Amino acid sequence: MLMARQPQGFIKSPAEQAAMRTAGRLAAQVLDMIGPRVVPGITTGELDQICHDYIVGELNAIPAPLNYRGFPRSICTSVNHVVCHGIPGPRTLRTGDIVNLDITVIKDGFHGDTSRMFQVGACSIQARRLCRVAYQALWRGIGIVAPGRTLGDLGHAIQQFVESEGYSVVQEYCGHGIGRAFHEDPQVLHYGTPGSGMVIEPGMTFTIEPMVNAGRRQVKLLGDGWTVVTRDHSLSAQWEHTLLVTADGVEVLTLGADERAPS
Ligand code: MF3
Ligand code: CO
Ligand code: CO
């Protein structure tokens, strides 16, 4: 009898793909829920508490960040020059701040991971442009994803777009395979060389989550062991989707209720 060739570990079966769809949808629902609450005067700790209660109480899911490698809260809140992994706490959001809320839920053993930028009240033209370019960078990357393309094609498309807009791409943190584990192979770099890296195949699930800095790309890890900031204190923005590679393209598993692929 012929043995079927074992698919590599990061190719999801149809049942696993269905579970990933559910996890992705729930993660996006959390962002849809919290968006209207991101207003001047609220603290990042309050946003965390609201999301935690919703994930556990309404979605019957698990907030993946809580206790992940010692992370103390249920979501990440990254304000202004914080690049990623900001820890929710007493900080009050003020008019003009930009904040990334990064949500990862576990449902029936599978992870959905997504983040968006929120503008607190009226923001500067520069802050709005940075958030818009970071969003477009994510979708430039998504537009590349199809069987036969490589991860280098994807990273190159994002980097080339961001740099053409006069911004820089953070290199120390990347997208990632996702499934039963929060962070699986492969690493999905947001910079690179066309044609290099792993070939994208149907059934892969991974995130794209470019961090875009208004100034230089260099970052610094703060003493809390989590908070990543821009070295030059310039503003930083990030958006993230979880994706499933299909036979002829890509399915975005974490679309917002009002979101569709930009044309
Ligand atoms: N959600 C982040 C990502 O996109 C990871 C956060 S790890 C945590 O990969 F521990 F800070 F939650
Ligand atoms: Co992620
Ligand atoms: Co995330």
Side-chain angles (χ1 to χ4, degrees):
M1 190 169 74
L2 281 172
M3 297 292 288
R5 189 165 58 91
Q6 267 314 112
Q8 285 171 285
F10 43 76
I11 303 297
K12 267 65 180 180
S13 69
E16 291 171 326
Q17 293 174 21
M20 286 298 293
R21 268 189 203 101
T22 300
R25 178 167 42 79
L26 297 189
Q29 244 173 277
V30 179
L31 287 173
D32 290 341
M33 178 278 300
I34 201 66
R37 310 287 298 265
V38 184
V39 292
I42 197 160
T43 68
T44 54
E46 288 167 336
L47 293 173
D48 173 70
Q49 189 66 54
I50 296 165
C51 288
H52 176 94
D53 292 347
Y54 182 77
I55 292 165
V56 172
E58 303 285 328
L59 302 180
N60 295 305
I62 299 167
L66 187 59
N67 301 319
Y68 177 78
R69 301 189 181 185
F71 191 80
R73 301 285 174 198
S74 296
I75 71 171
C76 296
T77 53
S78 301
V79 183
N80 294 339
H81 71 293
V82 177
V83 172
C84 63
H85 304 165
I87 302 172
R91 183 189 177 128
T92 300
L93 295 179
R94 306 165 70 114
T95 298
D97 286 340
I98 58 171
V99 57
N100 174 280
L101 302 185
D102 193 339
I103 307 292
T104 312
V105 305
I106 310 171
K107 183 70 172 183
D108 300 330
F110 286 84
H111 291 70
D113 188 7
T114 183
S115 80
R116 297 180 199 158
M117 296 304 296
F118 295 91
Q119 301 174 12
V120 183
C123 290
S124 69
I125 286 173
Q126 294 94 313
R128 281 151 48 197
R129 177 169 178 265
L130 178 69
C131 292
R132 181 177 69 243
V133 167
Y135 183 72
Q136 290 170 333
L138 166 62
W139 278 97
R140 287 288 180 122
I142 293 171
I144 295 293
V145 177
R149 309 300 290 269
T150 71
L151 292 181
D153 294 337
L154 169 58
H156 176 78
I158 291 171
Q159 180 180 27
Q160 121 75 31
F161 171 71
V162 168
E163 292 178 355
S164 77
E165 295 286 337
Y167 295 143
S168 64
V169 177
V170 172
Q171 299 196 352
E172 286 81 357
Y173 301 88
C174 58
H176 48 92
I178 182 168
R180 285 195 178 276
F182 196 158
H183 297 107
E184 303 182 346
D185 285 341
Q187 290 196 21
V188 180
L189 303 182
H190 304 113
Y191 60 94
T193 311
S196 73
M198 179 179 293
V199 176
I200 294 170
E201 290 183 50
M204 292 173 72
T205 51
F206 58 83
T207 72
I208 302 179
E209 49 182 299
M211 285 141 270
V212 177
N213 296 349
R216 296 171 62 82
R217 70 167 181 80
Q218 278 75 20
V219 299
K220 182 173 70 178
L221 181 65
L222 295 190
D224 60 20
W226 282 104
T227 309
V228 178
V229 300
T230 54
R231 264 192 189 274
D232 62 8
H233 285 87
S234 63
L235 287 178
S236 188
Q238 176 182 31
W239 299 73
E240 175 176 25
H241 273 313
T242 297
L243 312 172
L244 165 66
V245 182
T246 61
D248 57 357
V250 64
E251 189 177 325
V252 180
L253 302 184
T254 46
L255 278 180
D258 302 322
E259 186 180 16
R260 51 187 195 78
S263 38

